[in-house]
Amino acid sequence: MLTGSTAYVLTEQPEDGSLGDYWLWNATTGEHFHQYSSYCPLQSVGSVFNADNIWANVQRREEPALVTFNFNSTSNWKPFFTAKYPNPGLSSVQRETMQYKPPDGQFAETLQDKVEMVVMKKIEESRRWVTRWNRHCCNELRKILPQLEAKPHSFPVQEHNRQLADILASHNVTGFPLHMPFTDVDAVVEAVYNTHIHNVSDPRAEFALAAYAHPYPNDIYSLWVYVVALSRRR
């Protein structure tokens, strides 16, 4: 989805003890993309700034994958402050100290319970057949979600399958976890609908759903929803 003019956060990530690996972060969603990722929504980089200076991109290309982030190269980046026009030490327009509300674990538990209840009801309403919920599978999925929050990019597939071993032995399972910043319940329902798992036509199919909300400061919640359809192996 196009967002027009926007700002991303650029970080240089050490990898194998060397620098030069750049990541671009969407500060609104928390998503990050490698400089060379074809999935990065950022289409052009016109300028970069930090606490010390502002640099204008004077390279021939602006696409992140084709940009050289060497700010010492004046042929690639034109600095606003120079030796002839030094940074006068401008003061910040922000407050000296930022006040953040602490994470609200109690609301997070209430939120995940509400998400489960609403999404389950919406799935039931959208199907022509009776929707059967596999409560054992729901409980097992609920145990996995906090682990995905702790290791979103490195949770071992083998460990995931081990925790669901008894279910995978008796059922064919179709589904996956969804991860999103919580905005409202309607957005969660739409994300689940977009999986089309509720459209499984087998009237004997069972379903399982679990939600987990992890609280962060200032009323920010990382939401996971794991939804699957199950059919017994013959």
Side-chain angles (χ1 to χ4, degrees):
M1 181 180 294
L2 298 177
T3 58
S5 298
T6 187
Y8 272 58
V9 177
L10 176 71
T11 60
E12 188 174 20
Q13 305 293 124
E15 185 169 331
D16 300 328
S18 62
L19 297 177
D21 209 30
Y22 291 97
W23 292 79
L24 295 153
W25 298 73
N26 184 325
T28 302
T29 65
E31 294 177 295
H32 66 289
F33 305 88
H34 194 276
Q35 173 189 0
Y36 300 116
S37 171
S38 59
Y39 297 102
C40 181
L42 190 64
Q43 298 297 301
S44 65
V45 179
S47 61
V48 175
F49 68 90
N50 63 10
D52 302 315
N53 212 333
I54 306 169
W55 294 269
N57 183 6
V58 293
Q59 299 170 66
R60 296 182 63 183
R61 304 297 291 266
E62 294 186 339
E63 300 93 323
L66 301 176
V67 168
T68 298
F69 289 110
N70 178 7
F71 302 107
N72 294 320
S73 172
T74 55
S75 61
N76 291 324
W77 297 93
K78 186 175 181 61
F80 186 80
F81 297 117
T82 63
K84 292 183 179 180
Y85 182 63
N87 185 341
L90 300 174
S91 60
S92 173
V93 297
Q94 300 185 33
R95 300 174 183 174
E96 290 189 7
T97 58
M98 302 295 291
Q99 300 296 322
Y100 292 98
K101 293 173 59 178
D104 190 340
Q106 184 174 358
F107 180 79
E109 292 182 6
T110 301
L111 173 62
Q112 64 194 35
D113 291 344
K114 180 179 180 180
V115 167
E116 283 189 6
M117 180 183 67
V118 172
V119 175
M120 282 181 167
K121 183 178 180 182
K122 290 294 185 180
I123 289 177
E124 292 171 355
E125 291 174 351
S126 66
R127 288 177 48 78
R128 292 182 296 167
W129 304 279
V130 174
T131 303
R132 299 176 179 84
W133 295 101
N134 188 313
R135 299 297 175 181
H136 172 60
C137 187
C138 290
N139 291 334
E140 295 304 312
L141 297 179
R142 202 171 287 119
K143 296 175 184 176
I144 290 175
L145 292 181
Q147 300 173 66
L148 292 177
E149 174 66 26
K151 298 180 178 180
H153 304 294
S154 60
F155 185 63
V157 174
Q158 296 86 347
E159 176 62 19
H160 172 275
N161 292 342
R162 185 192 67 78
Q163 296 185 36
L164 297 177
D166 60 332
I167 296 169
L168 294 174
S170 58
H171 293 78
N172 294 309
V173 180
T174 303
F176 40 81
L178 303 171
H179 185 213
M180 66 198 80
F182 176 75
T183 52
D184 56 66
V185 177
D186 288 343
V188 181
V189 172
E190 182 179 1
V192 173
Y193 274 175
N194 287 339
T195 67
H196 297 286
I197 288 179
H198 62 288
N199 290 331
V200 171
S201 58
D202 185 355
R204 298 167 297 178
E206 296 178 294
F207 292 84
L209 183 142
Y212 172 68
H214 189 87
Y216 287 93
N218 253 28
D219 295 327
I220 294 174
Y221 297 90
S222 171
L223 183 67
W224 293 83
V225 179
Y226 207 146
V227 57
V228 301
L230 308 95
S231 61
R232 282 200 171 274
R233 295 182 182 273
R234 297 179 180 178

